[in-house]
Amino acid sequence: MESQSFSPMLDRVMAQEIQSVSWSKTMDVCAILYVNNQLEICRVSEQLQRMFMIQEDDAISNIIVESTFLTYNVGNKLFLYHLASHQKIIQSTLIKNSDKITQMLLVQVNVKIIKELELQAAIIPLSTTNLKNWQNLCFLKQQQINNIIFSLTNRQIAYNFNGILHLGEIEHKGIIELYQLQNELHCFSDSTVEIYDISLMKHQQILKYIQQLSYLNELFCFLKTSILLINTQLQDIFKCYQLNIIGPLVAFGPQESINSHILKFYQKGDCSQELVQFFQKELYNTKILQKMDDNITNSFNNIQEIIQDSLMNVLSRILIILNFFIQSKNMPFYQGLHKTPFEELQQTVQKIQKLFSRFQIECHQTKLHLRNFFVWLNLCAIKAGNEQEVECENVNSPLNKIEVDLSKLFDFLKDNHLFQLRNLQCFYQGKISPKTFFTKVVVQKNIEFKQTENITKILQNVFKDSYVDNVKQKQHQIEYEESFETVNSLIRELQNNLDKIAINLKPHLRTKINIDLSSSILRFSEKSEESYLISVLKDNTIIQYTYQQQGFVKSNKIQFNNKFIKELQYFDGKLIILSTNQQKSNELARTNQQKDEGLFNQLQLTAYISSVDLETQNKFECHSIKDLQVSKKGLISIIIDSKKLIILSI
């Protein structure tokens, strides 16, 4: 006798075709993914209450809804939204290649960051709008989102902290599913299960280390953003100056000697015919000089704002974080080290800080030199003109109301380096001595550990010998180069050094178990402290295993004689089974050799939702069942005929 064990809460035909439903682990909130890549976040009661919607161009996959945030990936990128504010707080690359991520696994860890007073200056929001993502960093700090995110692709398992700081990867072949239990990462392939020890990454001291590295990583990203913005403004200045001044003057001869011809005219009044044509045709009775002055002045002001409000601010905050690491030598991963790698990073950041202080002064002086030069050119254009001065644009220009500083003009014209604006280019395109700016991130290889065996293990994992050898080898190669890096490359070098410090928390392979898992469906029960259940669907038969004490035991076998299993889900340790009275359309067509597939697709199916004892079930008339998901709060979502959504309560 059939008894109703699942109470219907909602039965609705949606406007669009549904692809999947993902449930929150802690709330009655679900994420409905439609086939047009639209993601709808809803609260579930007697009705669906839409919270917000997200639209992506490419395929959305691996949707995870937590108590405070929603995360999913598109391609190899991670997207994370705050549920309360509906705002995107993270968009970052989980893996650095174009591989598609087939699964994301969030390992939640809990760690309190260092005292507020130690980082007070580093958490004040930036005053500029150039670095909008700074609020992401503040949000992560305030909300304490601490997740190690494992992302599975077809060739590796990459793991990140909050999707921001890349920690490393595990190479693999044929792993199809990831599962996490306490301090273990279980990697399932068709024939084996590899179990990795991830307890090191959940060690409180190491977590603080990782968390602060994550802040440092974000600050370096902001620093690179500031550099790119400065570069953009510089390119605007160079382009404007080259197009309107240097380019037309090249007719005098080699570009290197252009300033000498103008200087000769300034000193002796000897004006060649080409220079007269430049004054008359290029500059006379036009607004070009005024436009150049406005554009270049605006670009210099933007550079000044970026340096003052963003770049120098970020550099100061980087030094605060680095000082935290340097002062924290009592932490386990510092014990026994003569010198921390962060002291070298600190020295390099201080050099960059001084470099940009000089650059800021150079920009201000160059801006004054250029304006004075434009004022003089405007005066020369007026004198070279043969028409009535009253009607001339040069006379009406604001530049005509400024007096020329002759000594400043002479300094500008006699210095070809300044005249060509190479004084600015050298900060980015020029070469910098490797001995001055090379960042030495070196860890002593031979260290006498005086700690316990557990602390020694942590140290050996954080600072590996292979990493030390690689850094020393790279240092040896660079020191013998004739020229080194531009400022942009220097910033990238800092980022690379940070990555090298981070990628040393390699999970240890604890054990490898042979087990036949060649199946179409693999489902796990809720994890307990020491064990879990796993159900494998194979040839319409459910084989159940129990994992306990680093081993799997086959515990049960379930087979239906007159029903065909479509989906398995666990709730509260019990297995919920979705079955139908017919096979999949392609299987039945092959079995019965049916030719009229159009007729077959219209056949009515009966779907059943049963508990594992098969005594209680719900029955639904439908053409097809597309998806079934069970939430941790006891709600079942069923997609029928692609558009119909039914939600039941257990």
Side-chain angles (χ1 to χ4, degrees), residues 129-149:
T129 58
N130 292 329
L131 303 176
K132 297 178 181 178
N133 287 334
W134 179 261
Q135 60 185 348
N136 300 353
L137 190 62
C138 294
F139 174 84
L140 290 175
K141 179 193 171 303
Q142 294 165 3
Q143 299 297 324
Q144 292 294 310
I145 296 180
N146 295 315
N147 289 314
I148 304 296
I149 302 176

Short mmCIF file of all heavy atoms in Angstrom, two decimals, residues 129-149:
data_model
loop_
_atom_site.label_atom_id
_atom_site.label_comp_id
_atom_site.label_asym_id
_atom_site.label_seq_id
_atom_site.Cartn_x
_atom_site.Cartn_y
_atom_site.Cartn_z
N THR A 129 38.66 55.89 -6.71
CA THR A 129 37.73 54.95 -7.35
C THR A 129 38.45 54.05 -8.34
O THR A 129 37.83 53.20 -8.95
CB THR A 129 36.63 55.73 -8.10
OG1 THR A 129 37.25 56.58 -9.07
CG2 THR A 129 35.81 56.55 -7.15
N ASN A 130 39.75 54.24 -8.49
CA ASN A 130 40.49 53.44 -9.45
C ASN A 130 40.59 51.98 -9.03
O ASN A 130 40.71 51.09 -9.86
CB ASN A 130 41.91 54.01 -9.64
CG ASN A 130 41.89 55.36 -10.32
OD1 ASN A 130 41.01 55.63 -11.13
ND2 ASN A 130 42.84 56.22 -9.98
N LEU A 131 40.57 51.72 -7.73
CA LEU A 131 40.74 50.36 -7.24
C LEU A 131 39.45 49.92 -6.55
O LEU A 131 39.38 49.77 -5.34
CB LEU A 131 41.92 50.29 -6.26
CG LEU A 131 43.26 50.76 -6.85
CD1 LEU A 131 44.34 50.74 -5.81
CD2 LEU A 131 43.66 49.90 -8.02
N LYS A 132 38.44 49.69 -7.34
CA LYS A 132 37.12 49.38 -6.80
C LYS A 132 37.10 48.04 -6.07
O LYS A 132 36.29 47.84 -5.17
CB LYS A 132 36.09 49.37 -7.93
CG LYS A 132 35.92 50.72 -8.62
CD LYS A 132 34.94 50.66 -9.76
CE LYS A 132 34.79 52.00 -10.44
NZ LYS A 132 33.87 51.96 -11.59
N ASN A 133 37.96 47.13 -6.44
CA ASN A 133 37.94 45.81 -5.83
C ASN A 133 38.48 45.80 -4.40
O ASN A 133 38.51 44.75 -3.77
CB ASN A 133 38.74 44.81 -6.68
CG ASN A 133 38.01 44.46 -7.95
OD1 ASN A 133 36.79 44.54 -8.00
ND2 ASN A 133 38.75 44.09 -8.97
N TRP A 134 38.96 46.95 -3.93
CA TRP A 134 39.44 46.99 -2.55
C TRP A 134 38.34 46.58 -1.57
O TRP A 134 38.61 45.97 -0.53
CB TRP A 134 39.95 48.39 -2.22
CG TRP A 134 40.45 48.51 -0.82
CD1 TRP A 134 39.79 49.03 0.25
CD2 TRP A 134 41.70 48.07 -0.33
NE1 TRP A 134 40.56 48.96 1.37
CE2 TRP A 134 41.74 48.36 1.05
CE3 TRP A 134 42.81 47.44 -0.91
CZ2 TRP A 134 42.84 48.06 1.84
CZ3 TRP A 134 43.90 47.15 -0.11
CH2 TRP A 134 43.91 47.45 1.24
N GLN A 135 37.09 46.89 -1.91
CA GLN A 135 35.98 46.52 -1.03
C GLN A 135 35.86 45.00 -0.91
O GLN A 135 35.37 44.49 0.10
CB GLN A 135 34.68 47.11 -1.54
CG GLN A 135 34.31 46.64 -2.94
CD GLN A 135 33.08 47.35 -3.46
OE1 GLN A 135 32.39 48.02 -2.72
NE2 GLN A 135 32.81 47.19 -4.75
N ASN A 136 36.31 44.26 -1.93
CA ASN A 136 36.27 42.80 -1.84
C ASN A 136 37.14 42.31 -0.70
O ASN A 136 36.78 41.43 0.07
CB ASN A 136 36.77 42.18 -3.15
CG ASN A 136 35.93 42.60 -4.33
OD1 ASN A 136 34.90 43.25 -4.15
ND2 ASN A 136 36.36 42.24 -5.52
N LEU A 137 38.33 42.90 -0.59
CA LEU A 137 39.25 42.51 0.45
C LEU A 137 38.67 42.82 1.82
O LEU A 137 38.74 42.00 2.74
CB LEU A 137 40.57 43.24 0.25
CG LEU A 137 41.75 42.79 1.09
CD1 LEU A 137 42.11 41.35 0.79
CD2 LEU A 137 42.96 43.68 0.83
N CYS A 138 38.09 44.01 1.97
CA CYS A 138 37.46 44.38 3.25
C CYS A 138 36.32 43.43 3.58
O CYS A 138 36.14 43.03 4.72
CB CYS A 138 36.96 45.82 3.18
SG CYS A 138 38.26 47.05 3.02
N PHE A 139 35.54 43.04 2.54
CA PHE A 139 34.42 42.14 2.79
C PHE A 139 34.91 40.78 3.29
O PHE A 139 34.38 40.23 4.26
CB PHE A 139 33.60 41.93 1.51
CG PHE A 139 32.51 40.90 1.66
CD1 PHE A 139 31.29 41.26 2.19
CD2 PHE A 139 32.72 39.58 1.31
CE1 PHE A 139 30.29 40.32 2.36
CE2 PHE A 139 31.73 38.63 1.47
CZ PHE A 139 30.51 39.01 1.99
N LEU A 140 35.93 40.24 2.64
CA LEU A 140 36.45 38.93 3.05
C LEU A 140 36.95 38.98 4.48
O LEU A 140 36.78 38.02 5.24
CB LEU A 140 37.57 38.51 2.11
CG LEU A 140 37.15 38.14 0.69
CD1 LEU A 140 38.36 37.85 -0.16
CD2 LEU A 140 36.23 36.94 0.70
N LYS A 141 37.58 40.09 4.85
CA LYS A 141 38.08 40.21 6.21
C LYS A 141 36.93 40.29 7.22
O LYS A 141 36.94 39.62 8.24
CB LYS A 141 38.95 41.46 6.32
CG LYS A 141 39.48 41.66 7.73
CD LYS A 141 40.04 43.04 7.88
CE LYS A 141 40.35 43.29 9.35
NZ LYS A 141 39.19 43.14 10.21
N GLN A 142 35.91 41.07 6.91
CA GLN A 142 34.81 41.27 7.84
C GLN A 142 33.93 40.03 7.96
O GLN A 142 33.46 39.68 9.03
CB GLN A 142 33.97 42.47 7.39
CG GLN A 142 34.72 43.80 7.47
CD GLN A 142 34.03 44.90 6.69
OE1 GLN A 142 32.96 44.69 6.14
NE2 GLN A 142 34.66 46.06 6.63
N GLN A 143 33.68 39.34 6.82
CA GLN A 143 32.76 38.21 6.83
C GLN A 143 33.44 36.89 7.19
O GLN A 143 32.77 35.88 7.37
CB GLN A 143 32.12 38.08 5.45
CG GLN A 143 31.31 39.29 5.03
CD GLN A 143 30.12 39.52 5.95
OE1 GLN A 143 29.49 38.59 6.43
NE2 GLN A 143 29.82 40.79 6.20
N GLN A 144 34.78 36.90 7.27
CA GLN A 144 35.51 35.68 7.62
C GLN A 144 35.17 34.51 6.68
O GLN A 144 34.88 33.41 7.12
CB GLN A 144 35.22 35.28 9.07
CG GLN A 144 35.78 36.25 10.09
CD GLN A 144 37.30 36.27 10.10
OE1 GLN A 144 37.93 35.23 10.15
NE2 GLN A 144 37.87 37.44 10.00
N ILE A 145 35.15 34.75 5.38
CA ILE A 145 35.00 33.66 4.42
C ILE A 145 36.37 33.02 4.24
O ILE A 145 37.25 33.59 3.59
CB ILE A 145 34.46 34.18 3.07
CG1 ILE A 145 33.07 34.75 3.25
CG2 ILE A 145 34.44 33.07 2.03
CD1 ILE A 145 32.46 35.28 1.98
N ASN A 146 36.57 31.89 4.83
CA ASN A 146 37.85 31.19 4.73
C ASN A 146 37.61 29.83 4.10
O ASN A 146 37.19 28.88 4.76
CB ASN A 146 38.48 31.01 6.12
CG ASN A 146 38.84 32.35 6.74
OD1 ASN A 146 39.40 33.20 6.09
ND2 ASN A 146 38.49 32.54 8.00
N ASN A 147 37.87 29.72 2.82
CA ASN A 147 37.65 28.48 2.09
C ASN A 147 38.88 28.10 1.31
O ASN A 147 39.46 28.93 0.61
CB ASN A 147 36.47 28.60 1.10
CG ASN A 147 35.14 28.69 1.81
OD1 ASN A 147 34.88 27.93 2.72
ND2 ASN A 147 34.30 29.62 1.41
N ILE A 148 39.28 26.84 1.42
CA ILE A 148 40.22 26.27 0.48
C ILE A 148 39.37 25.68 -0.65
O ILE A 148 38.54 24.81 -0.41
CB ILE A 148 41.09 25.18 1.12
CG1 ILE A 148 41.82 25.72 2.36
CG2 ILE A 148 42.10 24.64 0.10
CD1 ILE A 148 42.79 26.82 2.08
N ILE A 149 39.51 26.19 -1.86
CA ILE A 149 38.67 25.78 -2.98
C ILE A 149 39.47 24.84 -3.88
O ILE A 149 40.46 25.24 -4.48
CB ILE A 149 38.19 26.99 -3.79
CG1 ILE A 149 37.41 27.95 -2.87
CG2 ILE A 149 37.33 26.55 -4.96
CD1 ILE A 149 36.97 29.23 -3.56
#
